Amino acid sequence: MELKIFVKKTASFFFACAVCAAPFFADWNSLNIPDSAEVRRQISREWFEGSLDYLRGVNSEIRSNQIGVQFQVRLEEQQDVFLTIVAPKSQMKVDVYEGGGMRTSVEDSFNMESPGSWLLVRSKKTGEPLSIRYYFAKDSGVYVQFRPYKNSSHADLIIFENFAARAVPLGVPFEKFYTASFAEIQALTKNNLPWNYVEPRAGYYDDTMVMIQTIRQNEKNLVYADDAAYNEEGKPVSIKNGLPRYIPESMRDKISLSSAGFVKWICDGLVEPLSGSYLKMKPLIQKTVQVNPTGSQGVLESNYNANFSLDWTRNLAAAVLSVNFRKTILYPDSGVDVCVEPFAARWTENGVQSAVGYIKNTGYKIQYLKPLLYVLATTNPQYFYLAAIRQTGVGSGGPEVKVFNDAAAIFPYFDSEGKFKASVFYDGVEYSLQQFCDSFANQRTNDSFAHLTRVKASSKFYPQEPPKEKNDD
């Protein structure tokens, strides 16, 4: 809802908590979101069947479900369609600037994309229904919608503009969704839609949060340095040749790391409590990709390891797995690569297009990481991910080259309110997932990829700390 004052939004929605246990007419859904089924039964004929001209003369109204949650019913017009919106009351904290000062105010809101909102979309030209949408999750980019198809209906499950399911035939009359509760549609579609993609696993993100907090506490001790890591004894070495690395006087009270050294530092913090030492360097640079020696990438490989961070992150993930299982597991046998393809299609400015999924030895387009990580956070809630970043650049001779230089660690999770979050640590600095993706998606070629390998999170995480005393030259 647009406010008529200059405001800065500082928090999202706050809902009162109460539960009604009726199986198909629950006033709260299984994700603790208010349900409007009872309200929709009260207003169905007028608001769902009335013409656009008629609805233009009807005032918006406030109605309550059986446990007193208020919903606003209103009309909204867009260019080619009009919407009947049933939106729950929520409260939003705003900073109000007035008279040279600022005060915090709590404003009532009935946002059409807030958790619990229900939308009927109809054509302005014909008045016929086009779709019904349920906002059932704490993230507005996650919803389920139903579309009429002959005497039945089709279903779509959307996660941040990506279709986890598209045009799934249901054998259920479209009109059923005018008054169906969310619990009822889950029961009707339990065998048709991948609901496991959108159901956070409460209590499964504790280890992830411990790791995030520990890394944050150590950020002040980290400093970036080229070609920098620490070996199995915790000594500073060059990644290229494994030889001891000179540490300048100004950096001797810090842990100095490159992006590759940084993700090793994280993995070392997981294995040292179990093995008593950090990971060895040499196994981490073993090649995991075979290239055509006469091709452009092969020629590049003769002078430069174009798959450096891909090899590094794969071998790191396999090494952590080996320590966890107390036996040597090499990358080819580890199964650490993330290669799932949970999406059938994607909404774009040019309409619905085929999804860009996993590409072997390349990964996923960085701008598509958010929906992918959402699914990984629900289906594999106890893992974080090492990302090898592939960028496209221009070689010294002119042609474009594709290289894996950098690496990052990504920790997806759902917070205590059930909202999706992801912390990205890159070059020893924390970024939001949006910041991280934008920094690469805005590059000239827009051809950056992230190849992911999975690592199990643990609360027994003790990364290397800087030396208490400065080293001698």
Side-chain angles (χ1 to χ4, degrees):
M1 174 180 290
E2 224 176 90
L3 301 176
K4 301 302 183 182
I5 51 178
F6 174 50
V7 301
K8 180 179 72 175
K9 298 178 182 178
T10 59
S12 56
F13 303 96
F14 299 91
F15 291 99
C17 291
V19 176
C20 182
F24 291 130
F25 304 102
D27 292 301
W28 293 79
N29 72 23
S30 60
L31 301 175
N32 199 31
I33 302 298
D35 197 292
S36 63
E38 177 62 27
V39 170
R40 285 182 273 117
R41 292 186 199 100
Q42 299 169 12
I43 53 96
S44 58
R45 178 168 296 179
E46 178 181 36
W47 282 95
F48 304 160
E49 299 176 14
S51 68
L52 175 58
D53 286 340
Y54 171 78
L55 291 177
R56 283 171 173 162
V58 177
N59 293 328
S60 63
E61 54 183 289
I62 304 295
R63 290 180 178 250
S64 300
N65 66 10
Q66 291 179 342
I67 59 171
V69 177
Q70 291 185 333
F71 290 82
Q72 183 187 62
V73 185
R74 69 178 187 270
L75 169 72
E76 183 168 309
E77 294 188 51
Q78 298 180 0
Q79 183 174 353
D80 300 315
V81 300
F82 63 100
L83 289 71
T84 296
I85 299 169
V86 183
K89 179 181 177 180
S90 58
Q91 292 184 320
M92 180 173 58
K93 287 183 179 180
V94 296
D95 291 339
V96 182
Y97 294 86
E98 56 185 8
M102 182 193 77
R103 63 179 175 85
T104 299
S105 176
V106 177
E107 303 287 345
D108 290 343
S109 174
F110 295 92
N111 192 299
M112 64 182 286
E113 294 183 346
S114 67
S117 287
W118 180 98
L119 280 61
L120 169 63
V121 183
R122 297 165 67 188
S123 167
K124 275 189 173 181
K125 184 176 182 180
T126 67
E128 293 298 311
L130 301 176
S131 66
I132 285 174
R133 182 177 296 185
Y134 287 75
Y135 285 96
F136 62 88
K138 292 296 179 75
D139 291 279
S140 63
V142 179
Y143 55 89
V144 64
Q145 70 179 13
F146 302 94
R147 293 176 285 114
Y149 180 74
K150 297 182 179 178
N151 295 323
S152 184
S153 55
H154 281 173
D156 305 319
L157 183 61
I158 291 93
I159 302 174
F160 302 124
E161 299 183 342
N162 286 260
F163 288 83
R166 180 169 181 252
V168 177
L170 295 180
V172 177
F174 179 75
E175 292 76 13
K176 177 74 173 176
F177 303 106
Y178 284 143
T179 56
S181 69
F182 182 72
E184 189 171 4
I185 69 168
Q186 279 191 304
L188 289 169
T189 61
K190 63 181 180 180
N191 297 322
N192 305 88
L193 299 179
W195 289 108
N196 61 312
Y197 286 1
V198 293
E199 295 177 341
R201 305 281 295 280
Y204 278 74
Y205 308 100
D206 294 347
D207 289 349
T208 294
M209 295 308 303
V210 167
M211 292 190 68
I212 291 172
Q213 292 298 334
T214 302
I215 297 170
R216 286 172 177 168
Q217 291 167 5
N218 278 275
E219 274 190 273
K220 62 182 182 300
N221 298 324
L222 306 177
V223 62
Y224 178 84
D226 288 332
D227 185 34
Y230 290 78
N231 65 12
E232 66 271 22
E233 297 176 350
K235 303 295 186 182
V237 294
S238 161
I239 294 176
K240 291 179 181 177
N241 55 32
L243 296 176
R245 178 166 51 90
Y246 172 74
I247 305 295
E249 180 76 20
S250 60
M251 295 168 55
R252 290 183 184 176
D253 60 345
K254 304 287 185 182
I255 293 288
S256 54
L257 301 160
S258 64
S259 73
F262 175 65
V263 293
K264 180 182 185 294
W265 175 82
I266 292 175
C267 292
D268 282 340
L270 291 172
V271 302
E272 195 277 337
L274 300 176
S275 66
S277 66
Y278 302 123
L279 295 171
K280 294 181 179 180
M281 298 286 295
K282 190 173 181 180
L284 303 181
I285 59 174
Q286 297 301 310
K287 292 188 179 297
T288 64
V289 181
Q290 298 297 321
V291 297
N292 181 355
T294 60
S296 58
Q297 287 295 109
V299 173
L300 177 65
E301 285 278 342
S302 64
N303 298 309
Y304 179 82
N305 183 3
N307 291 307
F308 162 67
S309 64
L310 176 62
D311 297 335
W312 185 264
T313 52
R314 281 171 159 175
N315 291 322
L316 267 175
V320 175
L321 193 65
S322 297
V323 173
N324 286 340
F325 281 91
R326 291 180 168 82
K327 65 177 183 179
T328 300
I329 303 174
L330 300 178
Y331 159 71
D333 303 316
S334 65
V336 294
D337 282 356
V338 176
C339 50
V340 297
E341 298 195 32
F343 302 112
R346 175 175 173 81
W347 241 325
T348 72
E349 294 178 354
N350 300 315
V352 177
Q353 297 181 353
S354 296
V356 179
Y358 176 76
I359 301 173
K360 185 178 180 180
N361 295 326
T362 298
Y364 304 87
K365 278 186 171 291
I366 279 187
Q367 57 265 46
Y368 302 149
L369 282 181
K370 184 176 182 179
L372 173 66
L373 289 165
Y374 187 101
V375 172
L376 292 175
T378 57
T379 57
N380 293 276
Q382 295 176 306
Y383 286 82
F384 72 98
Y385 301 89
L386 305 180
I389 304 162
R390 197 198 78 168
Q391 298 169 264
T392 300
V394 179
S396 57
E400 286 188 341
V401 294
K402 302 179 188 300
V403 295
F404 282 97
N405 276 331
D406 294 335
I410 306 177
F411 294 81
Y413 64 97
F414 287 86
D415 66 17
S416 59
E417 296 182 352
K419 194 170 180 65
F420 174 69
K421 302 282 182 66
S423 291
V424 184
F425 294 94
Y426 172 57
D427 284 350
V429 177
E430 182 178 7
Y431 297 87
S432 71
L433 181 60
Q434 194 64 52
Q435 290 172 327
F436 176 75
C437 292
D438 287 348
S439 67
F440 289 98
N442 290 337
Q443 293 181 0
R444 179 182 61 83
T445 61
N446 197 26
D447 192 31
S448 298
F449 284 76
H451 189 283
L452 305 181
T453 52
R454 64 177 64 85
V455 180
K456 198 168 189 300
S458 174
S459 59
K460 296 179 180 178
F461 175 56
Y462 303 100
Q464 183 177 351
E465 297 181 352
K468 290 183 172 56
E469 296 180 4
K470 294 182 179 180
N471 298 325
D472 295 330
D473 292 341

